């Protein structure tokens, strides 16, 4: 089944709101902080209702975690468990993705030995 996103006239005048709502269309949840549903302001999905409707709010995109979730840069990412091995390489910004070489990564996921790590 197709998912449809609908905005009211007032909501779609804010770029932050549009990006946030598009995130839901990409199956992204909110980016919380501690026990709050929102609060991770490094990501459009962490901007709460007060922020996304504020036209003065800084405009942000999806952070590395959300990009990882949707595998947008899968060919330039790596998972590393520092207890098992180290990684030596070059980390570049997402803006440099198209020019990145195979040994350059745009996201590194640090994992542990258990789900609690």
């Amino acid at each position: 089944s197709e998912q449809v996103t609908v905005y009211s006239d007032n909501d779609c005048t804010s770029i932050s709101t549009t990006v946030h709502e598009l995130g839901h269309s990409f199956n992204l949840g909110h980016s919380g902080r501690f026990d709050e549903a929102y609060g991770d302001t490094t990501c459009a999905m962490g901007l709460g209702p007060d922020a996304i409707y504020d036209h003065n709010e800084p405009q942000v995109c999806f952070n590395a975690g959300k990009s990882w979730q949707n595998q947008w840069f899968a060919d330039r990412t790596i998972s590393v468990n520092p207890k098992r091995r180290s990684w030596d390489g070059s980390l570049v910004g997402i803006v440099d993705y198209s020019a990145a070489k195979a040994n350059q990564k745009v996201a590194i996921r640090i994992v542990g030995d258990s789900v609690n790590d």
Side-chain angles (χ1 to χ4, degrees), residues 3-117:
Q3 186 172 0
V4 176
T5 302
V6 179
Y7 306 100
S8 71
D9 291 344
N10 293 334
D11 294 346
C12 63
T13 60
S14 165
I15 292 172
S16 297
T17 303
T18 303
V19 171
H20 178 94
E21 295 305 325
L22 282 171
H24 289 304
S25 296
F26 298 142
N27 293 316
L28 299 177
H30 293 139
S31 291
R33 187 164 181 251
F34 305 113
D35 61 348
E36 299 173 14
Y38 300 103
D40 178 3
T41 57
T42 67
C43 182
M45 300 310 293
L47 300 176
D50 294 336
I52 61 177
Y53 297 115
D54 179 358
H55 296 280
N56 297 315
E57 178 68 24
Q59 297 169 6
V60 296
C61 57
F62 303 113
N63 63 16
K66 299 302 184 186
S67 297
W68 184 284
Q69 180 181 338
N70 278 332
Q71 300 181 357
W72 288 332
F73 308 104
D75 63 326
R76 296 290 184 269
T77 60
I78 188 170
S79 291
V80 176
N81 181 335
K83 292 180 182 178
R84 298 184 182 269
R85 71 178 178 117
S86 63
W87 177 76
D88 182 20
S90 177
L91 183 64
V92 299
I94 290 173
V95 70
D96 297 318
Y97 169 77
S98 62
K101 298 175 182 157
N103 64 336
Q104 295 178 310
K105 306 301 180 191
V106 296
I108 301 170
R109 180 176 175 228
I110 299 173
V111 297
D113 291 328
S114 72
V115 294
N116 295 324
D117 287 344

